Coordinates of all heavy atoms in Angstrom, one line a residue:
Chain B
R97 N -8.1 -67.3 34.5 CA -8.2 -68.2 35.7 C -9.7 -68.2 36.2 O -10.1 -69.2 36.8 CB -7.3 -67.7 36.8 CG -5.8 -68.0 36.5 CD -4.9 -67.1 37.4 NE -3.7 -66.8 36.8 CZ -3.5 -65.8 36.0 NH1 -4.5 -65.0 35.7 NH2 -2.3 -65.6 35.5
S98 N -10.4 -67.1 35.9 CA -11.7 -67.0 36.5 C -12.6 -66.1 35.6 O -12.1 -65.1 35.0 CB -11.6 -66.4 37.9 OG -12.6 -65.5 38.2
D100 N -14.4 -63.9 36.7 CA -14.3 -62.5 37.3 C -13.3 -61.6 36.6 O -13.3 -60.4 36.8 CB -14.0 -62.6 38.8 CG -15.2 -63.2 39.5 OD1 -16.3 -63.3 39.0 OD2 -15.0 -63.7 40.7
E101 N -12.4 -62.3 35.8 CA -11.4 -61.5 35.1 C -11.9 -60.9 33.8 O -11.1 -60.3 33.1 CB -10.1 -62.3 34.9 CG -9.5 -62.8 36.3 CD -8.2 -63.6 36.1 OE1 -8.2 -64.5 35.2 OE2 -7.3 -63.3 36.9
I102 N -13.1 -61.2 33.5 CA -13.7 -60.8 32.2 C -14.6 -59.6 32.4 O -15.7 -59.8 33.1 CB -14.4 -61.9 31.5 CG1 -13.5 -63.2 31.3 CG2 -15.1 -61.5 30.2 CD1 -12.4 -63.0 30.4
I103 N -14.3 -58.5 31.8 CA -15.2 -57.3 31.9 C -15.7 -57.0 30.5 O -15.0 -57.0 29.5 CB -14.4 -56.1 32.4 CG1 -13.9 -56.3 33.8 CG2 -15.3 -54.8 32.4 CD1 -12.8 -55.5 34.2
W119 N -7.2 -47.6 36.1 CA -6.0 -48.0 36.6 C -4.9 -46.9 36.6 O -4.2 -46.6 37.5 CB -5.5 -49.3 35.8 CG -4.2 -49.8 36.3 CD1 -4.0 -50.8 37.3 CD2 -2.9 -49.4 35.9 NE1 -2.7 -51.0 37.5 CE2 -2.0 -50.2 36.6 CE3 -2.4 -48.5 34.9 CZ2 -0.6 -50.0 36.4 CZ3 -1.0 -48.4 34.7 CH2 -0.1 -49.1 35.5
K122 N -5.1 -44.1 39.1 CA -4.7 -44.4 40.4 C -3.1 -44.6 40.4 O -2.5 -44.1 41.4 CB -5.4 -45.6 40.9 CG -4.9 -46.0 42.3 CD -5.8 -47.1 42.9 CE -5.2 -47.7 44.2 NZ -6.0 -48.8 44.7
F123 N -2.6 -45.3 39.4 CA -1.2 -45.7 39.5 C -0.2 -44.9 38.7 O 1.0 -45.0 39.0 CB -1.1 -47.2 39.1 CG -1.8 -48.1 40.1 CD1 -3.0 -48.7 39.8 CD2 -1.2 -48.4 41.3 CE1 -3.6 -49.5 40.7 CE2 -1.8 -49.2 42.2 CZ -3.0 -49.8 41.9
R206 N 7.4 -58.3 33.1 CA 7.1 -58.8 34.5 C 8.3 -58.8 35.4 O 8.2 -58.5 36.5 CB 6.4 -60.2 34.4 CG 5.6 -60.5 35.6 CD 4.6 -61.7 35.3 NE 5.3 -62.8 34.7 CZ 5.1 -63.2 33.4 NH1 4.2 -62.6 32.7 NH2 5.8 -64.2 32.9
T211 N 3.7 -53.2 34.4 CA 2.4 -53.7 34.1 C 2.2 -53.7 32.6 O 2.7 -52.8 31.9 CB 1.3 -52.7 34.8 OG1 1.6 -52.7 36.2 CG2 -0.1 -53.2 34.5
G231 N 0.8 -64.0 29.7 CA 1.3 -63.4 31.0 C 1.1 -61.9 31.1 O 1.9 -61.3 31.8
C232 N 0.1 -61.4 30.5 CA -0.2 -60.0 30.5 C -1.0 -59.6 31.7 O -1.7 -60.5 32.3 CB -0.9 -59.5 29.2 SG -2.3 -60.5 28.9
D233 N -1.1 -58.4 32.1 CA -2.0 -57.9 33.2 C -3.3 -57.6 32.6 O -4.3 -57.8 33.3 CB -1.4 -56.7 33.9 CG -0.1 -57.1 34.6 OD1 -0.1 -57.9 35.6 OD2 1.0 -56.6 34.2
F234 N -3.3 -56.9 31.4 CA -4.6 -56.6 30.8 C -4.5 -57.1 29.3 O -3.5 -57.1 28.7 CB -4.8 -55.1 30.8 CG -5.0 -54.4 32.1 CD1 -3.9 -53.6 32.6 CD2 -6.1 -54.6 32.8 CE1 -4.1 -53.0 33.9 CE2 -6.3 -54.0 34.1 CZ -5.3 -53.2 34.6
Y252 N -9.9 -58.1 29.6 CA -9.4 -59.1 30.6 C -8.4 -58.4 31.5 O -7.6 -57.6 31.1 CB -8.7 -60.3 29.9 CG -7.7 -60.9 30.8 CD1 -8.1 -61.9 31.7 CD2 -6.3 -60.5 30.8 CE1 -7.2 -62.5 32.6 CE2 -5.4 -61.1 31.7 CZ -5.8 -62.1 32.6 OH -5.0 -62.7 33.4
G253 N -8.6 -58.6 32.8 CA -7.6 -58.1 33.8 C -7.3 -59.1 34.8 O -8.1 -59.9 35.2
R254 N -6.0 -59.2 35.2 CA -5.7 -60.2 36.3 C -6.4 -59.8 37.5 O -6.4 -58.6 37.9 CB -4.1 -60.2 36.5 CG -3.5 -61.5 36.1 CD -2.0 -61.5 36.4 NE -1.8 -61.0 37.7 CZ -0.7 -60.3 38.0 NH1 0.2 -60.1 37.1 NH2 -0.5 -59.8 39.2
L255 N -7.0 -60.7 38.2 CA -7.9 -60.4 39.3 C -7.3 -59.5 40.3 O -7.9 -58.5 40.8 CB -8.4 -61.8 39.9 CG -9.6 -61.6 40.8 CD1 -10.8 -61.1 40.0 CD2 -10.0 -63.0 41.4
D256 N -6.1 -59.8 40.7 CA -5.5 -58.9 41.8 C -5.3 -57.5 41.3 O -5.4 -56.6 42.1 CB -4.1 -59.5 42.3 CG -3.1 -59.8 41.2 OD1 -3.6 -60.2 40.1 OD2 -1.9 -59.5 41.3
V257 N -5.0 -57.3 40.0 CA -4.9 -56.0 39.5 C -6.2 -55.3 39.4 O -6.4 -54.1 39.8 CB -4.2 -56.0 38.0 CG1 -4.0 -54.6 37.5 CG2 -2.9 -56.8 38.1
L258 N -7.3 -56.0 39.0 CA -8.6 -55.5 38.9 C -9.1 -55.0 40.3 O -9.8 -54.0 40.4 CB -9.6 -56.4 38.3 CG -9.4 -56.8 36.8 CD1 -10.5 -57.8 36.3 CD2 -9.5 -55.5 36.0
E259 N -8.8 -55.9 41.3 CA -9.2 -55.5 42.6 C -8.7 -54.2 43.2 O -9.3 -53.5 43.9 CB -9.0 -56.7 43.6 CG -10.2 -57.6 43.5 CD -9.9 -59.0 44.1 OE1 -8.8 -59.4 44.4 OE2 -10.9 -59.8 44.1
Q260 N -7.5 -53.9 42.7 CA -6.8 -52.6 43.1 C -7.3 -51.5 42.3 O -6.9 -50.3 42.6 CB -5.3 -52.7 43.0 CG -4.7 -53.8 43.9 CD -3.2 -53.9 43.5 OE1 -2.5 -53.0 43.1 NE2 -2.8 -55.2 43.5
T261 N -8.0 -51.8 41.2 CA -8.4 -50.7 40.3 C -9.7 -50.1 40.6 O -10.7 -50.8 40.9 CB -8.4 -51.3 38.8 OG1 -7.2 -51.9 38.5 CG2 -8.7 -50.2 37.8
P262 N -9.8 -48.7 40.7 CA -11.1 -48.1 41.1 C -12.1 -48.3 40.0 O -11.7 -48.6 38.8 CB -10.7 -46.6 41.3 CG -9.3 -46.5 40.8 CD -8.7 -47.8 40.6
V284 N -15.6 -57.1 41.7 CA -15.1 -57.3 40.3 C -15.8 -58.5 39.7 O -16.0 -59.5 40.5 CB -13.6 -57.7 40.4 CG1 -13.0 -58.1 39.0 CG2 -12.8 -56.5 40.9
P285 N -16.3 -58.5 38.5 CA -16.1 -57.5 37.5 C -17.2 -56.5 37.4 O -17.1 -55.5 36.7 CB -16.2 -58.4 36.2 CG -17.1 -59.5 36.6 CD -16.9 -59.8 38.0
K287 N -18.1 -54.2 39.3 CA -17.7 -52.8 39.6 C -17.4 -52.0 38.3 O -17.5 -50.8 38.4 CB -16.4 -53.0 40.5 CG -15.6 -51.8 40.7 CD -14.6 -52.2 41.8 CE -13.2 -52.4 41.2 NZ -12.1 -52.6 42.3
F288 N -17.0 -52.7 37.3 CA -16.6 -52.0 36.0 C -17.8 -51.9 35.0 O -17.5 -51.5 33.9 CB -15.4 -52.6 35.4 CG -14.2 -52.6 36.3 CD1 -13.8 -53.7 37.0 CD2 -13.5 -51.4 36.5 CE1 -12.7 -53.7 37.8 CE2 -12.4 -51.4 37.4 CZ -12.0 -52.5 38.0

Side-chain angles (χ1 to χ4, degrees):
Chain B
R97 288 166 209 84
S98 140
D100 292 344
E101 297 183 317
I102 303 296
I103 297 159
W119 180 89
K122 178 168 171 189
F123 292 103
R206 200 165 49 249
T211 301
C232 50
D233 295 295
F234 295 108
Y252 155 84
R254 248 186 39 215
L255 196 57
D256 54 323
V257 182
L258 290 180
E259 270 163 357
Q260 295 168 39
T261 304
V284 172
K287 170 168 101 175
F288 300 105

